[in-house]
Amino acid sequence: MSAELSEFDVPPPTGAGEPSSAPTRRTFIATSTAVGGAVVAGGVIGGTILADAQEVSAAEGPPSSRVSLTVNGARRTVTVDNRTSLLDLLREHFGLTGSKKGCNAGACGACTVLVDGQRHNACLTLAVRLEGAEVTTIEGLADGGELHPLQQAFIDQDAFQCGYCTPGQIVSGVGCIQEGHTGSPEEIREWMSGNICRCGCYVKIVRAVEQTAGRK
């Protein structure tokens, strides 16, 4: 019987008894495996270096700035992420949770505060842009134990139900009165239209603003 040779055992043809310079199949496979391994190893090493660089960059953290501002009469200085909103600064850093986070998109007015006497949606205002500014929140309206006249008017007129929007409504109402937009109920509604009350207390809110403005 003659044993069959596999293709790996069959020697390549040679000419004139001289060894061939062409690589054998076995040599080709071995060489390819070695080269492939080197490429993979290089990729792993390169990927590791890249990953390390990304981790170092992440560890450095986002850019931050130091900002000083006056909140409800008190000077405050803090270092914050440049992306921090005034609302998050008030709630998360200063513990002033009266200003509510409703839509967080400037559509509901629950976060309304006064910045240098003007109404602002705190959720849309970057804290780092308020260097030297004076901010008044719902917590800063009362004078010690005495409520602000508009706070008292909200109680007198029963101008709230769930109360979630009330801080923003009151601060916005104070701004509306200071701006002189209380000539009529229609004018009050127009200039208070950025503050949404999901309980529908608009009629009583207008009455509270009128009472404080001295029209009723």
Side-chain angles (χ1 to χ4, degrees), residues 115-151:
V115 178
D116 294 330
Q118 301 297 313
R119 292 180 284 178
H120 284 257
N121 288 320
C123 69
L124 296 183
T125 305
L126 288 176
V128 294
R129 300 188 64 182
L130 299 179
E131 178 65 32
E134 184 171 342
V135 178
T136 302
T137 71
I138 186 67
E139 291 92 343
L141 292 181
D143 183 9
E146 184 178 352
L147 295 177
H148 185 281
L150 185 55
Q151 290 175 307

Side-chain angles (χ1 to χ4, degrees), residues 147-166:
L147 295 177
H148 185 281
L150 185 55
Q151 290 175 307
Q152 185 61 54
F154 263 66
I155 296 173
D156 296 342
Q157 298 293 338
D158 194 22
F160 52 87
Q161 287 189 35
C162 78
Y164 195 83
C165 75
T166 303

Side-chain angles (χ1 to χ4, degrees), residues 117-119 172-184 187-188 191 209 213 215:
Q118 301 297 313
R119 292 180 284 178
S172 184
V174 170
C176 185
I177 294 170
Q178 292 177 350
E179 294 160 13
H181 299 304
T182 58
S184 66
E187 184 178 15
I188 294 173
W191 288 91
V209 174
R215 294 190 65 253

Side-chain angles (χ1 to χ4, degrees), residues 83-88 90 99-113 120-127:
R83 300 166 295 181
T84 303
S85 68
L86 173 57
L87 179 59
D88 286 337
L90 294 171
S99 302
K100 304 305 181 186
K101 181 177 286 190
C103 64
N104 206 33
C108 72
C111 65
T112 304
V113 298
H120 284 257
N121 288 320
C123 69
L124 296 183
T125 305
L126 288 176

